[in-house]
Amino acid sequence: MKKYVTILFLAFIVITNAQKIDYNTNKGFVAEGYDVTEYFNNKVVKGSSAYITTHDKVNYKFSSKENLEKFRKNPGQYIPQYGGYCAYAVAVTSEKVDINPKTFEIRNGKLYLFYNSWGINTLDKWIKEDAEKLEKKANINWQKIKK
């Protein structure tokens, strides 16, 4: 019986960890605490400490109660692709690179975030180098590098 319980426990741990998705939580929040729902209004808005929620064991901030509720109703619609890491880096180098939360693209109803610092704007590269092709590569690479 003890052996059976141990095997069951280990199976639970493996299944739980296999379902875990990796997120970029720089500054303790996805998208560095920016309101992920506002990106879909083509706006970059910092979230407020008054409106915080946890989804899939990571924290999100929102600029209003309405946006918080919108996210709670359908979180999958607003979660950034590739766990909020730079989409271009995932596609080109298969690496998890931090982002600038002010550099984003909404493509086919999905949120993509990008690195933009020291004169390197990966959103510009993403667009210039064929975003659709890079998105396909990023989707494949993400499966290999996420936890």
Side-chain angles (χ1 to χ4, degrees):
M1 179 71 170
K2 192 173 182 182
K3 186 177 182 180
Y4 177 72
V5 172
T6 303
I7 291 170
L8 206 59
F9 177 74
L10 290 174
F12 173 76
I13 297 295
V14 168
I15 289 168
T16 303
N17 285 334
Q19 294 173 344
K20 185 178 177 186
I21 297 175
D22 193 19
Y23 290 95
N24 180 0
T25 55
N26 191 8
K27 299 186 181 177
F29 297 90
V30 171
E32 295 186 10
Y34 281 74
D35 185 333
V36 292
T37 65
E38 286 293 346
Y39 288 114
F40 291 85
N41 297 322
N42 205 31
K43 296 178 183 175
V44 178
V45 179
K46 281 188 177 184
S48 165
S49 295
Y51 307 108
I52 294 175
T53 194
T54 300
H55 175 75
D56 205 14
K57 300 181 183 176
V58 293
N59 297 318
Y60 294 83
K61 278 186 180 181
F62 300 91
S63 58
S64 68
K65 184 176 181 175
E66 294 78 21
N67 287 355
L68 170 64
E69 293 306 319
K70 195 185 315 183
F71 179 85
R72 283 182 174 161
K73 286 180 185 173
N74 190 4
Q77 179 179 345
Y78 302 104
I79 295 172
Q81 298 301 293
Y82 319 121
Y85 290 98
C86 174
Y88 181 82
V90 171
V92 175
T93 64
S94 293
E95 293 179 357
K96 298 173 188 170
V97 172
D98 211 2
I99 52 99
N100 177 330
K102 296 178 182 179
T103 309
F104 73 99
E105 178 185 49
I106 302 295
R107 176 178 292 277
N108 299 321
K110 296 177 183 177
L111 171 59
Y112 297 86
L113 298 170
F114 298 90
Y115 175 86
N116 183 1
S117 187
W118 298 92
I120 299 170
N121 183 337
T122 59
L123 172 57
D124 291 344
K125 291 176 178 253
W126 172 263
I127 294 167
K128 184 179 178 184
E129 296 175 22
D130 190 355
E132 287 183 23
K133 184 178 98 183
L134 290 171
E135 179 186 15
K136 288 176 186 174
K137 284 179 67 176
N139 290 340
I140 292 166
N141 292 345
W142 182 245
Q143 295 307 312
K144 296 175 190 173
I145 64 173
K146 72 179 183 178
K147 289 182 182 175

